[in-house]
Amino acid sequence: MISSLPLLPPFLPLLIGSMAAIFLRGHIRSAIMLLAPVWGALQLSGLEPGIYWAMEFMGYQLEPVRVDKLSIMFGYLFHLAAFIAIVYALHIKDTVQHVAGLSYAACAVGAVFSGDLLTLFVFWELLALTSVLLIWARRTERAYGAGMRYFMIKVLSGVLLLAGTLIFISQTGSAVFGEIGLKQEGILNLGAWLIFLAFGIKCAFPFVHNWLTDAYPEATPTGTVFLASFTTKVAVYALARGFPGTELLVWIGVTMACFPIFYAVIENDLRRVLAYSMINQVGFMVVGIGIGTSLALNGAVAHAFNDVIFKGLLMMTMGAVLHMTGKINGSELGGLYKSMPKTTVLCIVGAASISAFPLFSGFVSKSMVMSAAVAEGYDYVWLALLFAAAGVFHHAGIKIPYFAFFAHDSGIRTTEPPKNMLIAMGIAAVLCIVIGAFPAQTVYALLPWNADYQPYDVTHVLTQLQLLFFSALAFVWLNLKNMYPPELPSTNLDADWLYRKLAPAFMVPVYYSVTGAINKTEQLAKEGIKRVINNSYDQEKNQPKGYFAQFWPTETMVFWVAFLLAGILILYYI
C-alpha cells in the first residue's frame, strides 16, 4: 500500500543535523545536533505503516521508505542511540567526528527503512564510507591501517550485495526487499547466497569478523560509541527481514556466541574485549533469527535493542577511561574507582545488563532467545548459549570493571570525565534498569511479532542466578590460584592472522622477487642500449661509424630521391 508522503524521509533530520555541523560552531552547533535525533524520532511517531516516496527507476519500482513494525522499532532505536552518542561527544571540537557520526546514524536509519534492494545498497555503502571516518579521526598510524582494512572488507560486502541484487532483480523482475531465503533455484540461489554473505560480513560472521575487533578499538573514544550502535544492528535487521527461519543461521549464531569468549579472556585491550563481546551478543540475535519463530525473532530484535544501550554504556565507560588516562590496557589500569567512582558505578550497571542479571535489560531479551531454542527442540544449542552466557559474564561482566577500576592499584589518579559524558552514560544506565524492570511497557511494546512472553518466572530467574553465581565463583577461584590469564601487553590475532601475517609472509618475498627481476631486466636493457650506442660511434674521430652514418652532400641525396621516384613510376605504369 502506497501511503501519502510524510513531511521528510526518516533519515533526513539526522542528515540535516550533520550538514549543519559543518558550518555551525559552539553552543548553536551542539543544540542543532541534539535536536536532529529528537526531530527525527518525533517524525517517526507520526508515520503510518505503508510505502512512501515510491518511484520508478529503469523500469523497476523503488520503495525508498517502507514503514512497518520492524523498521519502526529499529528507527526508534537508532535515533535514541544517536542522541546518547551525541551527548557523549559534545565536549569535542572535531568537526569531522560530528559530521561523520550524524551522517553514519542517518545512513543506518535510511537502511532499515529501505523497501527495495537498490536503496538498501546505497545506504549500505554510505554506512562504510561514513563509519571509516570515525576510525581515521583518531589520526594514528594504527587507526589508519585498521581503517583501510575495515574499508576494504566493507567494500567487499557492498560488491557482494550489488551482485546478488542484480541477479535477484534480473530473475524476479522486482527489486523489493522482502524475505529471500536460501532455498531458491538456479542462478537465483546464487544471488540469494551473495546477499546472505554480504549481510554476514556486516554481521561479523566467523572468519569475516576481524574488521570489528581490528578497527573498533582503534577509533576515537566517542567514535567507538557510534560504531557499536549501528553497523552490526543494520545487518541483524537485514537478516531478520531477508532470512528469517534459515536454520544455517542457528549454527552460525552459536559459533559467534561461543568462540569470542576464549579471545576476550586473554585480550589486554579492554575495548577489544568489548568488541569480542559484541560478536558474542550478535550471536544470540543470529540464533533467534535462524530459529525463526515469533518468540525467537522478537528475542533477536529485542536483544539488538538492548545491546545497543548496554554495549554503548560499556563502550562509553571505557572511552571515558581512555579519555582521562590515555590508557586502555588492563595491564596498565586498576584502582580507578578511587578517582572515578561515578564512572565505576555506571560501568557496573552496564556489566550487569550484558550479563543478564534479573532486573537489568539483558535478562529480558536474552532469555527470550534461549526459551525459543528450548521450545523448538534445540537442546544442544541451548547448552551452548548457556555456556556463552556464562562466558560473557566472565569477560564483560567481571573482567571489564575489575581490571579497569579494581584489581591492582596502578597509581593513576585522575578525575571524572566531562559532565556531558557522565550524562550520556547516566541516560544509558537508567534505560538499562527501566527496561529490565518494566519490559512490557518499554521494549516489548515495540516488538514486531505477536508472542506472549513473561521473563520473570521462577525457572528463568533461578537458572540465571545460579549461572551467574557459579561463573563468578569460577573467576574468583581462578584469580586466587593465579590461574586466570594475566593481562599482558600484546596484540592477539585470530582469523586475521591469515591476511596480517600469513599473506604478507607469502606475498612480500614474491613482490621482491618480481620487482627484482623487473629491475634486473631494466638494467640489462639499459646496458645493451648503451653498448649499441658506444659501438656505433667513433670516439677518436668524434663521428658516427658505418656507411649510413656518414654525412652525405645534398646533391647526392637529391639524386637518390629522384632515382627512387623514377623506379616507382616505372613499376606503376608497367
Side-chain angles (χ1 to χ4, degrees):
M1 179 183 68
I2 298 178
S3 303
S4 59
L5 296 181
L7 183 61
L8 289 174
F11 66 89
L12 205 52
L14 288 169
L15 188 60
I16 291 172
S18 72
M19 295 300 101
I22 298 176
F23 304 103
L24 301 177
R25 295 293 182 272
H27 294 302
I28 296 178
R29 177 163 74 176
S30 299
I32 295 298
M33 289 170 59
L34 288 171
L35 284 174
V38 175
W39 176 23
L42 289 175
Q43 279 220 134
L44 291 185
S45 65
L47 287 180
E48 295 293 331
I51 306 299
Y52 298 89
W53 307 94
M55 65 182 73
E56 188 172 307
F57 176 73
M58 298 181 65
Y60 297 103
Q61 185 78 3
L62 299 187
E63 301 175 358
V65 178
R66 174 180 51 200
V67 179
D68 58 15
K69 288 185 176 181
L70 182 60
S71 59
I72 279 286
M73 181 176 185
F74 278 88
Y76 279 128
L77 171 62
F78 289 162
H79 282 88
L80 176 61
F83 180 80
I84 295 173
I86 291 166
V87 172
Y88 186 76
L90 284 178
H91 64 284
I92 63 173
K93 308 302 180 185
D94 190 347
T95 300
V96 171
Q97 290 192 63
H98 289 316
V99 174
L102 275 168
S103 300
Y104 179 37
C107 293
V109 172
V112 298
F113 281 97
S114 299
D116 63 87
L117 289 166
L118 289 174
T119 305
L120 177 67
F121 167 74
V122 171
F123 286 113
W124 199 262
E125 290 295 86
L126 290 175
L127 275 170
L129 182 62
T130 51
S131 59
V132 75
L133 297 176
L134 296 171
I135 302 167
W136 286 336
R138 197 174 180 187
R139 298 174 175 87
T140 65
E141 199 63 35
R142 285 173 61 93
Y144 176 75
M148 285 299 297
R149 292 188 292 271
Y150 171 93
F151 189 64
M152 290 172 63
I153 294 173
K154 291 308 180 68
V155 168
L156 173 62
S157 173
V159 170
L160 292 174
L161 177 59
L162 180 59
T165 295
L166 293 177
I167 292 173
F168 196 83
I169 292 175
S170 66
Q171 294 297 306
T172 64
S174 172
V176 173
F177 178 32
E179 185 173 341
I180 299 171
L182 294 177
K183 296 180 179 180
Q184 307 290 344
E185 294 183 357
I187 194 172
L188 189 59
N189 194 47
L190 173 62
W193 272 100
L194 290 174
I195 295 172
F196 181 78
L197 291 174
F199 292 170
I201 290 174
K202 256 192 172 63
C203 208
F205 280 4
F207 300 109
V208 289
H209 66 278
N210 295 108
W211 59 266
L212 197 158
T213 56
D214 180 23
Y216 280 20
E218 300 302 331
T220 63
T222 55
T224 307
V225 180
F226 281 97
L227 291 170
S229 301
F230 300 117
T231 296
T232 53
K233 305 312 175 293
V234 169
V236 167
Y237 160 84
L239 285 174
R241 174 77 72 186
F243 298 92
T246 301
E247 190 175 15
L248 177 61
L249 288 173
V250 175
W251 308 108
I252 292 175
V254 166
T255 306
M256 292 175 68
C258 293
F259 88 85
I261 294 170
F262 302 100
Y263 289 100
V265 167
I266 62 174
E267 180 58 57
N268 189 29
D269 186 321
L270 297 183
R271 290 205 299 174
R272 188 164 277 112
V273 172
L274 290 176
Y276 277 113
S277 176
M278 185 179 299
I279 300 172
N280 164 274
Q281 295 301 300
V282 173
F284 281 86
M285 305 168 205
V286 172
V287 168
I289 295 169
I291 294 172
T293 62
S294 295
L295 177 61
L297 290 169
N298 276 341
V301 298
H303 201 53
F305 193 101
N306 291 338
D307 181 72
V308 167
I309 299 171
F310 61 63
K311 187 60 61 57
L313 174 55
L314 288 169
M315 285 291 190
M316 286 189 283
T317 58
M318 292 301 100
V321 169
L322 178 61
H323 178 75
M324 299 307 298
T325 68
K327 302 179 186 299
I328 198 59
N329 289 341
S331 59
E332 300 173 339
L333 296 171
L336 290 179
Y337 75 94
K338 298 175 182 177
S339 52
M340 302 178 71
K342 295 177 183 177
T343 306
T344 303
V345 172
L346 293 167
C347 181
I348 291 172
V349 172
S353 299
I354 197 173
S355 303
F357 269 86
L359 298 179
F360 290 88
S361 57
F363 177 80
V364 302
S365 53
K366 188 179 291 185
S367 59
M368 295 177 75
V369 176
M370 298 183 71
S371 297
V374 172
E376 296 304 308
Y378 289 101
D379 296 335
Y380 291 112
V381 171
W382 179 82
L383 288 173
L385 294 180
L386 202 65
F387 165 76
V392 75
F393 179 48
H394 246 267
H395 68 253
I398 299 177
K399 177 174 179 171
I400 292 293
Y402 180 73
F403 285 105
F405 299 102
F406 302 100
H408 60 280
D409 192 335
S410 62
I412 299 174
R413 295 296 179 265
T414 181
T415 60
E416 294 285 6
K419 289 183 179 178
N420 64 289
M421 298 177 87
L422 286 173
I423 291 172
M425 290 187 283
I427 294 171
V430 169
L431 287 172
C432 286
I433 296 170
V434 170
I435 291 173
F438 306 101
Q441 292 77 27
T442 52
V443 68
Y444 286 3
L446 297 172
L447 293 176
W449 292 274
N450 295 322
D452 186 26
Y453 181 74
Q454 173 53 253
Y456 290 108
D457 60 28
V458 176
T459 302
H460 289 147
V461 173
L462 287 181
T463 301
Q464 189 64 16
L465 288 176
Q466 290 177 61
L467 177 72
L468 296 171
F469 173 77
F470 285 108
S471 183
L473 190 63
F475 177 86
V476 172
W477 184 80
L478 290 170
N479 211 35
L480 290 175
K481 294 292 183 180
N482 295 319
M483 296 174 64
Y484 193 84
E487 300 300 297
L488 300 174
S490 61
T491 300
N492 296 321
L493 301 179
D494 50 87
D496 54 346
W497 176 85
L498 295 171
Y499 60 84
R500 295 183 66 180
K501 291 294 183 181
L502 180 61
F506 171 74
M507 294 302 298
V508 169
V510 172
Y511 169 79
Y512 283 119
S513 298
V514 171
T515 54
I518 292 173
N519 291 336
K520 189 174 182 179
T521 303
E522 183 180 357
Q523 186 64 29
L524 290 173
K526 288 180 179 178
E527 291 176 356
I529 293 170
K530 187 176 181 180
R531 194 178 302 113
V532 170
I533 293 173
N534 291 336
N535 291 336
S536 64
Y537 200 82
D538 191 334
Q539 298 290 343
E540 294 181 359
K541 297 181 179 181
N542 195 28
Q543 65 180 21
K545 297 179 181 178
Y547 175 77
F548 290 102
Q550 294 179 6
F551 294 104
W552 291 348
T554 304
E555 59 270 19
T556 304
M557 293 301 299
V558 171
F559 169 77
W560 284 110
V561 168
F563 179 79
L564 292 172
L565 179 61
I568 291 171
L569 289 172
I570 292 170
L571 290 173
Y572 176 78
Y573 283 109
I574 289 176

